Amino acid sequence: MTTNMKMIFWFSILSGTLIAVSSKSWISVWMGLEINLLAFVSLISNSMNQQTSEATLKYFLVQSLASSMFLFWTIFNFMQSNWFILMTENLNSTTISIILALKMGAAPFHFWFPPTAEGLSWFNCMILLTWQKVAPLFILMSFNSFSLVILASFSSIIGAVGSLNQSSLRKLMAYSSINHMGWILATMYINDKLMLTYFIMYCSLSILVMLMFNYFKLMHINQIQNTNNILINLILMLNLMSLGGLPPFVGFMPKWLSLNYLLMYNQFMLSLILVLSTLVTLYVYIRLTYSSFNILSTSSKWFNINLYSPMLIIFSLPSLISLPIMINFIM
């Protein structure tokens, strides 16, 4: 694929999302989602890689199913009279929530999400876990129903439990995304601005962690154990702890604000589910990085990183940003 073709596809992905977010007509929203879908499928497809081709096919079939359901829901609402729409308002909110949860891979409609992320490169996986969720989330903000609480509970639990027995880092990041989606949907039910804050923080930390995995050419957990460098292992641990929301790192701030709002609105059971699922994900991250500090770990010839590279400074930004927060907690 030439550079000009890639630029066209990237522009289509960006424009499709912006069309879907800014449209006032449901047909225009559907068109924006379809433009985004076709451009992303064209970008990730690779006939020379069987795993990538399988992931592309899974993504296309699931997204096509969700887009067909979305179009049918739009036509159905357009054909009904006003009194019938008022009678089925709750049903409409639940239906569109299920459709959009299927499009962005929220539990319990997550069956396609980890296998698709497993077959992509780190850069395409980064787009799938961050930018591809923007349009469904902004559309879902218009439907503030109790179904968001149910989706948030399922996403937090399944994202935490599913990450326990994973050896692939891409699947681990996919289940981490599902777990964070539970927090995002819970904050959406309470406050839209808080949801945007959490989503921006999640995207920033996830992109940084995946860029670090891509830079160090890490694909599986056993590769982390063979880095045999205390500085790299420390930066990786701090970034993962920040992504998991461990205080006093910067990732703790949106979780702390979300819990304050949830408890303010008497969402005690949902808060308990979110906190317990976060503890499970933190256990997974600690288990992932603890073994890399073993003195008896061996060094691999393929791992050759310049310790004075400017990229290491960029990768350590979350831990550097968290220092003022640590001082504030101590004071």
Side-chain angles (χ1 to χ4, degrees), residues 49-94:
N49 191 327
Q50 184 178 0
Q51 191 177 19
T52 303
S53 300
E54 182 180 353
T56 304
L57 182 60
K58 289 179 181 178
Y59 181 80
F60 177 74
L61 291 177
V62 172
Q63 296 295 318
S64 298
L65 174 62
S67 297
S68 301
M69 295 170 61
F70 186 87
L71 182 61
F72 177 78
W73 175 85
T74 303
I75 297 174
F76 177 79
N77 280 340
F78 180 76
M79 293 175 61
Q80 305 305 316
S81 58
N82 292 331
W83 66 271
F84 187 78
I85 292 178
L86 291 176
M87 290 177 61
T88 59
E89 183 177 357
N90 294 330
L91 180 60
N92 284 336
S93 301
T94 304

mmCIF file of all heavy atoms in Angstrom, residues 49-94:
data_model
loop_
_atom_site.group_PDB
_atom_site.id
_atom_site.type_symbol
_atom_site.label_atom_id
_atom_site.label_comp_id
_atom_site.label_asym_id
_atom_site.label_seq_id
_atom_site.Cartn_x
_atom_site.Cartn_y
_atom_site.Cartn_z
ATOM 1 N N ASN A 49 -0.557 -11.840 5.552
ATOM 2 C CA ASN A 49 -0.558 -12.299 6.940
ATOM 3 C C ASN A 49 -1.911 -12.933 7.238
ATOM 4 O O ASN A 49 -2.942 -12.262 7.222
ATOM 5 C CB ASN A 49 -0.294 -11.124 7.894
ATOM 6 C CG ASN A 49 -0.022 -11.586 9.314
ATOM 7 O OD1 ASN A 49 -0.566 -12.580 9.779
ATOM 8 N ND2 ASN A 49 0.841 -10.863 10.007
ATOM 9 N N GLN A 50 -1.904 -14.249 7.502
ATOM 10 C CA GLN A 50 -3.157 -14.959 7.716
ATOM 11 C C GLN A 50 -3.851 -14.510 8.997
ATOM 12 O O GLN A 50 -5.078 -14.384 9.043
ATOM 13 C CB GLN A 50 -2.887 -16.464 7.772
ATOM 14 C CG GLN A 50 -4.162 -17.311 7.908
ATOM 15 C CD GLN A 50 -3.866 -18.793 7.907
ATOM 16 O OE1 GLN A 50 -2.704 -19.203 7.796
ATOM 17 N NE2 GLN A 50 -4.892 -19.601 8.019
ATOM 18 N N GLN A 51 -3.084 -14.242 10.045
ATOM 19 C CA GLN A 51 -3.675 -13.801 11.306
ATOM 20 C C GLN A 51 -4.332 -12.434 11.160
ATOM 21 O O GLN A 51 -5.426 -12.193 11.679
ATOM 22 C CB GLN A 51 -2.600 -13.765 12.388
ATOM 23 C CG GLN A 51 -3.155 -13.579 13.794
ATOM 24 C CD GLN A 51 -2.072 -13.626 14.844
ATOM 25 O OE1 GLN A 51 -0.890 -13.456 14.539
ATOM 26 N NE2 GLN A 51 -2.443 -13.853 16.096
ATOM 27 N N THR A 52 -3.682 -11.528 10.438
ATOM 28 C CA THR A 52 -4.264 -10.206 10.208
ATOM 29 C C THR A 52 -5.504 -10.287 9.329
ATOM 30 O O THR A 52 -6.487 -9.579 9.564
ATOM 31 C CB THR A 52 -3.217 -9.284 9.562
ATOM 32 O OG1 THR A 52 -2.065 -9.219 10.399
ATOM 33 C CG2 THR A 52 -3.775 -7.885 9.369
ATOM 34 N N SER A 53 -5.485 -11.146 8.334
ATOM 35 C CA SER A 53 -6.658 -11.317 7.461
ATOM 36 C C SER A 53 -7.850 -11.850 8.246
ATOM 37 O O SER A 53 -8.982 -11.404 8.049
ATOM 38 C CB SER A 53 -6.314 -12.264 6.316
ATOM 39 O OG SER A 53 -5.244 -11.768 5.545
ATOM 40 N N GLU A 54 -7.594 -12.781 9.156
ATOM 41 C CA GLU A 54 -8.672 -13.320 9.989
ATOM 42 C C GLU A 54 -9.231 -12.247 10.914
ATOM 43 O O GLU A 54 -10.456 -12.139 11.087
ATOM 44 C CB GLU A 54 -8.140 -14.497 10.795
ATOM 45 C CG GLU A 54 -9.197 -15.166 11.668
ATOM 46 C CD GLU A 54 -8.635 -16.333 12.452
ATOM 47 O OE1 GLU A 54 -7.467 -16.694 12.218
ATOM 48 O OE2 GLU A 54 -9.351 -16.873 13.315
ATOM 49 N N ALA A 55 -8.356 -11.444 11.501
ATOM 50 C CA ALA A 55 -8.810 -10.364 12.382
ATOM 51 C C ALA A 55 -9.603 -9.314 11.601
ATOM 52 O O ALA A 55 -10.615 -8.794 12.098
ATOM 53 C CB ALA A 55 -7.608 -9.711 13.070
ATOM 54 N N THR A 56 -9.165 -9.025 10.377
ATOM 55 C CA THR A 56 -9.887 -8.061 9.540
ATOM 56 C C THR A 56 -11.276 -8.562 9.201
ATOM 57 O O THR A 56 -12.263 -7.805 9.237
ATOM 58 C CB THR A 56 -9.096 -7.788 8.258
ATOM 59 O OG1 THR A 56 -7.775 -7.350 8.594
ATOM 60 C CG2 THR A 56 -9.770 -6.724 7.423
ATOM 61 N N LEU A 57 -11.382 -9.861 8.881
ATOM 62 C CA LEU A 57 -12.688 -10.437 8.549
ATOM 63 C C LEU A 57 -13.623 -10.410 9.750
ATOM 64 O O LEU A 57 -14.812 -10.087 9.624
ATOM 65 C CB LEU A 57 -12.498 -11.864 8.040
ATOM 66 C CG LEU A 57 -13.768 -12.600 7.598
ATOM 67 C CD1 LEU A 57 -14.441 -11.856 6.452
ATOM 68 C CD2 LEU A 57 -13.437 -14.033 7.197
ATOM 69 N N LYS A 58 -13.109 -10.754 10.923
ATOM 70 C CA LYS A 58 -13.938 -10.715 12.134
ATOM 71 C C LYS A 58 -14.430 -9.294 12.396
ATOM 72 O O LYS A 58 -15.617 -9.085 12.703
ATOM 73 C CB LYS A 58 -13.131 -11.211 13.335
ATOM 74 C CG LYS A 58 -12.849 -12.699 13.337
ATOM 75 C CD LYS A 58 -12.025 -13.072 14.552
ATOM 76 C CE LYS A 58 -11.708 -14.559 14.561
ATOM 77 N NZ LYS A 58 -10.857 -14.941 15.715
ATOM 78 N N TYR A 59 -13.535 -8.335 12.285
ATOM 79 C CA TYR A 59 -13.914 -6.943 12.533
ATOM 80 C C TYR A 59 -14.970 -6.478 11.533
ATOM 81 O O TYR A 59 -15.956 -5.829 11.921
ATOM 82 C CB TYR A 59 -12.674 -6.053 12.454
ATOM 83 C CG TYR A 59 -12.950 -4.594 12.721
ATOM 84 C CD1 TYR A 59 -13.085 -4.122 14.020
ATOM 85 C CD2 TYR A 59 -13.079 -3.689 11.671
ATOM 86 C CE1 TYR A 59 -13.342 -2.793 14.275
ATOM 87 C CE2 TYR A 59 -13.342 -2.355 11.923
ATOM 88 C CZ TYR A 59 -13.464 -1.909 13.226
ATOM 89 O OH TYR A 59 -13.734 -0.588 13.465
ATOM 90 N N PHE A 60 -14.794 -6.815 10.261
ATOM 91 C CA PHE A 60 -15.737 -6.377 9.231
ATOM 92 C C PHE A 60 -17.113 -6.997 9.435
ATOM 93 O O PHE A 60 -18.137 -6.310 9.314
ATOM 94 C CB PHE A 60 -15.191 -6.734 7.853
ATOM 95 C CG PHE A 60 -16.126 -6.392 6.733
ATOM 96 C CD1 PHE A 60 -16.314 -5.076 6.328
ATOM 97 C CD2 PHE A 60 -16.847 -7.392 6.089
ATOM 98 C CE1 PHE A 60 -17.188 -4.761 5.304
ATOM 99 C CE2 PHE A 60 -17.717 -7.084 5.056
ATOM 100 C CZ PHE A 60 -17.888 -5.770 4.671
ATOM 101 N N LEU A 61 -17.167 -8.295 9.757
ATOM 102 C CA LEU A 61 -18.470 -8.965 9.921
ATOM 103 C C LEU A 61 -19.224 -8.421 11.124
ATOM 104 O O LEU A 61 -20.437 -8.154 11.043
ATOM 105 C CB LEU A 61 -18.252 -10.476 10.067
ATOM 106 C CG LEU A 61 -17.762 -11.211 8.815
ATOM 107 C CD1 LEU A 61 -17.523 -12.686 9.115
ATOM 108 C CD2 LEU A 61 -18.751 -11.055 7.666
ATOM 109 N N VAL A 62 -18.540 -8.232 12.239
ATOM 110 C CA VAL A 62 -19.204 -7.730 13.448
ATOM 111 C C VAL A 62 -19.672 -6.290 13.247
ATOM 112 O O VAL A 62 -20.809 -5.936 13.603
ATOM 113 C CB VAL A 62 -18.266 -7.849 14.657
ATOM 114 C CG1 VAL A 62 -18.865 -7.155 15.879
ATOM 115 C CG2 VAL A 62 -17.986 -9.305 14.978
ATOM 116 N N GLN A 63 -18.817 -5.456 12.672
ATOM 117 C CA GLN A 63 -19.195 -4.063 12.447
ATOM 118 C C GLN A 63 -20.308 -3.947 11.411
ATOM 119 O O GLN A 63 -21.169 -3.059 11.530
ATOM 120 C CB GLN A 63 -17.973 -3.261 11.997
ATOM 121 C CG GLN A 63 -16.873 -3.166 13.035
ATOM 122 C CD GLN A 63 -17.302 -2.393 14.263
ATOM 123 O OE1 GLN A 63 -17.961 -1.370 14.177
ATOM 124 N NE2 GLN A 63 -16.928 -2.901 15.426
ATOM 125 N N SER A 64 -20.311 -4.808 10.413
ATOM 126 C CA SER A 64 -21.397 -4.794 9.426
ATOM 127 C C SER A 64 -22.719 -5.192 10.075
ATOM 128 O O SER A 64 -23.769 -4.611 9.771
ATOM 129 C CB SER A 64 -21.065 -5.740 8.273
ATOM 130 O OG SER A 64 -19.898 -5.333 7.605
ATOM 131 N N LEU A 65 -22.669 -6.189 10.957
ATOM 132 C CA LEU A 65 -23.882 -6.592 11.680
ATOM 133 C C LEU A 65 -24.407 -5.444 12.536
ATOM 134 O O LEU A 65 -25.615 -5.145 12.528
ATOM 135 C CB LEU A 65 -23.576 -7.810 12.550
ATOM 136 C CG LEU A 65 -24.698 -8.280 13.484
ATOM 137 C CD1 LEU A 65 -25.922 -8.715 12.688
ATOM 138 C CD2 LEU A 65 -24.205 -9.410 14.389
ATOM 139 N N ALA A 66 -23.518 -4.787 13.261
ATOM 140 C CA ALA A 66 -23.942 -3.665 14.103
ATOM 141 C C ALA A 66 -24.459 -2.505 13.265
ATOM 142 O O ALA A 66 -25.452 -1.859 13.630
ATOM 143 C CB ALA A 66 -22.774 -3.210 14.976
ATOM 144 N N SER A 67 -23.831 -2.223 12.129
ATOM 145 C CA SER A 67 -24.296 -1.138 11.255
ATOM 146 C C SER A 67 -25.665 -1.467 10.657
ATOM 147 O O SER A 67 -26.518 -0.574 10.514
ATOM 148 C CB SER A 67 -23.282 -0.901 10.136
ATOM 149 O OG SER A 67 -22.043 -0.482 10.667
ATOM 150 N N SER A 68 -25.900 -2.723 10.311
ATOM 151 C CA SER A 68 -27.215 -3.121 9.783
ATOM 152 C C SER A 68 -28.292 -2.957 10.847
ATOM 153 O O SER A 68 -29.397 -2.484 10.554
ATOM 154 C CB SER A 68 -27.163 -4.573 9.301
ATOM 155 O OG SER A 68 -26.189 -4.742 8.292
ATOM 156 N N MET A 69 -27.979 -3.349 12.073
ATOM 157 C CA MET A 69 -28.936 -3.171 13.168
ATOM 158 C C MET A 69 -29.197 -1.694 13.425
ATOM 159 O O MET A 69 -30.339 -1.292 13.699
ATOM 160 C CB MET A 69 -28.402 -3.846 14.433
ATOM 161 C CG MET A 69 -28.278 -5.356 14.338
ATOM 162 S SD MET A 69 -27.373 -6.074 15.727
ATOM 163 C CE MET A 69 -28.426 -5.599 17.106
ATOM 164 N N PHE A 70 -28.151 -0.884 13.340
ATOM 165 C CA PHE A 70 -28.304 0.558 13.540
ATOM 166 C C PHE A 70 -29.179 1.173 12.456
ATOM 167 O O PHE A 70 -30.055 2.006 12.743
ATOM 168 C CB PHE A 70 -26.928 1.226 13.542
ATOM 169 C CG PHE A 70 -26.955 2.688 13.872
ATOM 170 C CD1 PHE A 70 -26.909 3.124 15.181
ATOM 171 C CD2 PHE A 70 -27.033 3.638 12.867
ATOM 172 C CE1 PHE A 70 -26.937 4.477 15.495
ATOM 173 C CE2 PHE A 70 -27.057 4.991 13.162
ATOM 174 C CZ PHE A 70 -27.008 5.409 14.484
ATOM 175 N N LEU A 71 -28.985 0.757 11.199
ATOM 176 C CA LEU A 71 -29.799 1.281 10.102
ATOM 177 C C LEU A 71 -31.248 0.830 10.237
ATOM 178 O O LEU A 71 -32.182 1.619 10.002
ATOM 179 C CB LEU A 71 -29.215 0.820 8.763
ATOM 180 C CG LEU A 71 -29.920 1.320 7.505
ATOM 181 C CD1 LEU A 71 -29.877 2.839 7.428
ATOM 182 C CD2 LEU A 71 -29.283 0.710 6.261
ATOM 183 N N PHE A 72 -31.463 -0.428 10.626
ATOM 184 C CA PHE A 72 -32.830 -0.921 10.825
ATOM 185 C C PHE A 72 -33.515 -0.162 11.955
ATOM 186 O O PHE A 72 -34.695 0.184 11.862
ATOM 187 C CB PHE A 72 -32.791 -2.418 11.135
ATOM 188 C CG PHE A 72 -34.144 -3.014 11.419
ATOM 189 C CD1 PHE A 72 -35.020 -3.309 10.384
ATOM 190 C CD2 PHE A 72 -34.548 -3.250 12.722
ATOM 191 C CE1 PHE A 72 -36.273 -3.852 10.649
ATOM 192 C CE2 PHE A 72 -35.792 -3.785 12.998
ATOM 193 C CZ PHE A 72 -36.654 -4.079 11.955
ATOM 194 N N TRP A 73 -32.767 0.120 13.035
ATOM 195 C CA TRP A 73 -33.331 0.885 14.157
ATOM 196 C C TRP A 73 -33.696 2.301 13.712
ATOM 197 O O TRP A 73 -34.742 2.833 14.112
ATOM 198 C CB TRP A 73 -32.301 0.923 15.282
ATOM 199 C CG TRP A 73 -32.675 1.765 16.461
ATOM 200 C CD1 TRP A 73 -33.440 1.394 17.530
ATOM 201 C CD2 TRP A 73 -32.317 3.133 16.683
ATOM 202 N NE1 TRP A 73 -33.572 2.443 18.406
ATOM 203 C CE2 TRP A 73 -32.895 3.520 17.913
ATOM 204 C CE3 TRP A 73 -31.562 4.059 15.974
ATOM 205 C CZ2 TRP A 73 -32.730 4.794 18.444
ATOM 206 C CZ3 TRP A 73 -31.402 5.332 16.500
ATOM 207 C CH2 TRP A 73 -31.975 5.687 17.717
ATOM 208 N N THR A 74 -32.881 2.918 12.868
ATOM 209 C CA THR A 74 -33.160 4.268 12.375
ATOM 210 C C THR A 74 -34.415 4.294 11.508
ATOM 211 O O THR A 74 -35.284 5.163 11.670
ATOM 212 C CB THR A 74 -31.948 4.784 11.566
ATOM 213 O OG1 THR A 74 -30.780 4.749 12.393
ATOM 214 C CG2 THR A 74 -32.196 6.204 11.092
ATOM 215 N N ILE A 75 -34.526 3.340 10.602
ATOM 216 C CA ILE A 75 -35.703 3.276 9.722
ATOM 217 C C ILE A 75 -36.964 2.978 10.521
ATOM 218 O O ILE A 75 -38.031 3.551 10.279
ATOM 219 C CB ILE A 75 -35.479 2.217 8.624
ATOM 220 C CG1 ILE A 75 -34.295 2.625 7.746
ATOM 221 C CG2 ILE A 75 -36.724 2.035 7.774
ATOM 222 C CD1 ILE A 75 -33.909 1.576 6.720
ATOM 223 N N PHE A 76 -36.845 2.103 11.513
ATOM 224 C CA PHE A 76 -37.998 1.747 12.336
ATOM 225 C C PHE A 76 -38.522 2.967 13.094
ATOM 226 O O PHE A 76 -39.736 3.204 13.156
ATOM 227 C CB PHE A 76 -37.596 0.638 13.306
ATOM 228 C CG PHE A 76 -38.695 0.234 14.257
ATOM 229 C CD1 PHE A 76 -39.721 -0.596 13.847
ATOM 230 C CD2 PHE A 76 -38.699 0.699 15.567
ATOM 231 C CE1 PHE A 76 -40.729 -0.959 14.725
ATOM 232 C CE2 PHE A 76 -39.698 0.348 16.441
ATOM 233 C CZ PHE A 76 -40.724 -0.483 16.019
ATOM 234 N N ASN A 77 -37.628 3.757 13.676
ATOM 235 C CA ASN A 77 -38.047 4.964 14.396
ATOM 236 C C ASN A 77 -38.643 6.002 13.462
ATOM 237 O O ASN A 77 -39.566 6.741 13.826
ATOM 238 C CB ASN A 77 -36.848 5.571 15.143
ATOM 239 C CG ASN A 77 -36.576 4.848 16.447
ATOM 240 O OD1 ASN A 77 -37.441 4.174 16.989
ATOM 241 N ND2 ASN A 77 -35.366 4.978 16.936
ATOM 242 N N PHE A 78 -38.106 6.078 12.245
ATOM 243 C CA PHE A 78 -38.612 7.060 11.290
ATOM 244 C C PHE A 78 -40.031 6.725 10.837
ATOM 245 O O PHE A 78 -40.834 7.617 10.549
ATOM 246 C CB PHE A 78 -37.675 7.114 10.079
ATOM 247 C CG PHE A 78 -38.096 8.102 9.030
ATOM 248 C CD1 PHE A 78 -37.907 9.462 9.211
ATOM 249 C CD2 PHE A 78 -38.696 7.665 7.853
ATOM 250 C CE1 PHE A 78 -38.302 10.369 8.250
ATOM 251 C CE2 PHE A 78 -39.096 8.561 6.884
ATOM 252 C CZ PHE A 78 -38.894 9.912 7.086
ATOM 253 N N MET A 79 -40.353 5.448 10.778
ATOM 254 C CA MET A 79 -41.664 5.023 10.272
ATOM 255 C C MET A 79 -42.752 5.090 11.326
ATOM 256 O O MET A 79 -43.933 5.045 10.984
ATOM 257 C CB MET A 79 -41.571 3.585 9.731
ATOM 258 C CG MET A 79 -40.704 3.448 8.492
ATOM 259 S SD MET A 79 -40.508 1.728 7.979
ATOM 260 C CE MET A 79 -42.205 1.284 7.644
ATOM 261 N N GLN A 80 -42.375 5.174 12.610
ATOM 262 C CA GLN A 80 -43.376 5.146 13.665
ATOM 263 C C GLN A 80 -43.918 6.546 13.940
ATOM 264 O O GLN A 80 -43.290 7.555 13.666
ATOM 265 C CB GLN A 80 -42.785 4.569 14.958
ATOM 266 C CG GLN A 80 -42.162 3.198 14.787
ATOM 267 C CD GLN A 80 -43.110 2.193 14.180
ATOM 268 O OE1 GLN A 80 -44.280 2.125 14.566
ATOM 269 N NE2 GLN A 80 -42.612 1.421 13.223
ATOM 270 N N SER A 81 -45.104 6.584 14.529
ATOM 271 C CA SER A 81 -45.697 7.860 14.922
ATOM 272 C C SER A 81 -45.106 8.319 16.247
ATOM 273 O O SER A 81 -44.461 7.567 16.963
ATOM 274 C CB SER A 81 -47.222 7.714 15.054
ATOM 275 O OG SER A 81 -47.541 6.715 16.010
ATOM 276 N N ASN A 82 -45.365 9.564 16.604
ATOM 277 C CA ASN A 82 -44.747 10.147 17.801
ATOM 278 C C ASN A 82 -45.211 9.454 19.082
ATOM 279 O O ASN A 82 -44.421 9.235 19.989
ATOM 280 C CB ASN A 82 -45.066 11.643 17.879
ATOM 281 C CG ASN A 82 -44.373 12.420 16.771
ATOM 282 O OD1 ASN A 82 -43.322 12.019 16.308
ATOM 283 N ND2 ASN A 82 -44.984 13.517 16.350
ATOM 284 N N TRP A 83 -46.503 9.107 19.158
ATOM 285 C CA TRP A 83 -46.990 8.503 20.392
ATOM 286 C C TRP A 83 -46.370 7.131 20.618
ATOM 287 O O TRP A 83 -46.099 6.728 21.744
ATOM 288 C CB TRP A 83 -48.515 8.386 20.378
ATOM 289 C CG TRP A 83 -49.049 7.428 19.344
ATOM 290 C CD1 TRP A 83 -49.380 7.705 18.055
ATOM 291 C CD2 TRP A 83 -49.297 6.036 19.535
ATOM 292 N NE1 TRP A 83 -49.814 6.581 17.414
ATOM 293 C CE2 TRP A 83 -49.778 5.536 18.305
ATOM 294 C CE3 TRP A 83 -49.169 5.156 20.615
ATOM 295 C CZ2 TRP A 83 -50.119 4.204 18.131
ATOM 296 C CZ3 TRP A 83 -49.508 3.842 20.437
ATOM 297 C CH2 TRP A 83 -49.985 3.372 19.201
ATOM 298 N N PHE A 84 -46.097 6.404 19.551
ATOM 299 C CA PHE A 84 -45.490 5.086 19.702
ATOM 300 C C PHE A 84 -44.030 5.212 20.137
ATOM 301 O O PHE A 84 -43.522 4.406 20.920
ATOM 302 C CB PHE A 84 -45.579 4.322 18.384
ATOM 303 C CG PHE A 84 -45.137 2.887 18.484
ATOM 304 C CD1 PHE A 84 -45.973 1.936 19.033
ATOM 305 C CD2 PHE A 84 -43.885 2.501 18.048
ATOM 306 C CE1 PHE A 84 -45.575 0.613 19.135
ATOM 307 C CE2 PHE A 84 -43.473 1.183 18.150
ATOM 308 C CZ PHE A 84 -44.329 0.245 18.689
ATOM 309 N N ILE A 85 -43.344 6.240 19.641
ATOM 310 C CA ILE A 85 -41.954 6.457 20.040
ATOM 311 C C ILE A 85 -41.880 6.801 21.521
ATOM 312 O O ILE A 85 -40.996 6.333 22.239
ATOM 313 C CB ILE A 85 -41.331 7.581 19.188
ATOM 314 C CG1 ILE A 85 -41.184 7.104 17.740
ATOM 315 C CG2 ILE A 85 -39.977 7.996 19.733
ATOM 316 C CD1 ILE A 85 -40.632 8.154 16.817
ATOM 317 N N LEU A 86 -42.843 7.587 22.024
ATOM 318 C CA LEU A 86 -42.850 7.917 23.438
ATOM 319 C C LEU A 86 -43.109 6.673 24.286
ATOM 320 O O LEU A 86 -42.531 6.519 25.357
ATOM 321 C CB LEU A 86 -43.928 8.973 23.723
ATOM 322 C CG LEU A 86 -43.655 10.374 23.151
ATOM 323 C CD1 LEU A 86 -44.846 11.288 23.426
ATOM 324 C CD2 LEU A 86 -42.388 10.964 23.773
ATOM 325 N N MET A 87 -43.965 5.759 23.800
ATOM 326 C CA MET A 87 -44.247 4.537 24.542
ATOM 327 C C MET A 87 -43.039 3.606 24.599
ATOM 328 O O MET A 87 -42.852 2.877 25.568
ATOM 329 C CB MET A 87 -45.435 3.805 23.910
ATOM 330 C CG MET A 87 -46.774 4.500 24.094
ATOM 331 S SD MET A 87 -48.103 3.629 23.257
ATOM 332 C CE MET A 87 -48.045 2.054 24.087
ATOM 333 N N THR A 88 -42.214 3.632 23.587
ATOM 334 C CA THR A 88 -41.077 2.710 23.514
ATOM 335 C C THR A 88 -39.751 3.446 23.693
ATOM 336 O O THR A 88 -38.724 3.033 23.161
ATOM 337 C CB THR A 88 -41.084 1.986 22.157
ATOM 338 O OG1 THR A 88 -41.012 2.969 21.108
ATOM 339 C CG2 THR A 88 -42.311 1.143 21.983
ATOM 340 N N GLU A 89 -39.748 4.533 24.430
ATOM 341 C CA GLU A 89 -38.531 5.308 24.601
ATOM 342 C C GLU A 89 -37.450 4.505 25.328
ATOM 343 O O GLU A 89 -36.288 4.503 24.935
ATOM 344 C CB GLU A 89 -38.842 6.592 25.369
ATOM 345 C CG GLU A 89 -37.639 7.510 25.535
ATOM 346 C CD GLU A 89 -38.006 8.800 26.248
ATOM 347 O OE1 GLU A 89 -39.203 8.986 26.551
ATOM 348 O OE2 GLU A 89 -37.088 9.596 26.497
ATOM 349 N N ASN A 90 -37.839 3.810 26.401
ATOM 350 C CA ASN A 90 -36.867 2.997 27.137
ATOM 351 C C ASN A 90 -36.342 1.853 26.283
ATOM 352 O O ASN A 90 -35.159 1.511 26.338
ATOM 353 C CB ASN A 90 -37.510 2.452 28.422
ATOM 354 C CG ASN A 90 -37.842 3.563 29.399
ATOM 355 O OD1 ASN A 90 -37.166 4.581 29.435
ATOM 356 N ND2 ASN A 90 -38.878 3.357 30.187
ATOM 357 N N LEU A 91 -37.242 1.251 25.487
ATOM 358 C CA LEU A 91 -36.823 0.157 24.608
ATOM 359 C C LEU A 91 -35.840 0.660 23.555
ATOM 360 O O LEU A 91 -34.853 -0.018 23.235
ATOM 361 C CB LEU A 91 -38.047 -0.475 23.942
ATOM 362 C CG LEU A 91 -37.773 -1.640 22.975
ATOM 363 C CD1 LEU A 91 -37.091 -2.777 23.704
ATOM 364 C CD2 LEU A 91 -39.068 -2.108 22.336
ATOM 365 N N ASN A 92 -36.080 1.850 23.026
ATOM 366 C CA ASN A 92 -35.164 2.421 22.039
ATOM 367 C C ASN A 92 -33.795 2.682 22.642
ATOM 368 O O ASN A 92 -32.766 2.430 22.007
ATOM 369 C CB ASN A 92 -35.739 3.727 21.486
ATOM 370 C CG ASN A 92 -36.860 3.473 20.494
ATOM 371 O OD1 ASN A 92 -36.940 2.427 19.889
ATOM 372 N ND2 ASN A 92 -37.739 4.450 20.353
ATOM 373 N N SER A 93 -33.765 3.196 23.868
ATOM 374 C CA SER A 93 -32.487 3.471 24.525
ATOM 375 C C SER A 93 -31.711 2.186 24.761
ATOM 376 O O SER A 93 -30.490 2.133 24.558
ATOM 377 C CB SER A 93 -32.731 4.191 25.854
ATOM 378 O OG SER A 93 -33.414 5.409 25.647
ATOM 379 N N THR A 94 -32.408 1.130 25.197
ATOM 380 C CA THR A 94 -31.738 -0.147 25.419
ATOM 381 C C THR A 94 -31.219 -0.737 24.121
ATOM 382 O O THR A 94 -30.096 -1.258 24.056
ATOM 383 C CB THR A 94 -32.706 -1.134 26.096
ATOM 384 O OG1 THR A 94 -33.207 -0.555 27.302
ATOM 385 C CG2 THR A 94 -32.002 -2.440 26.410
#
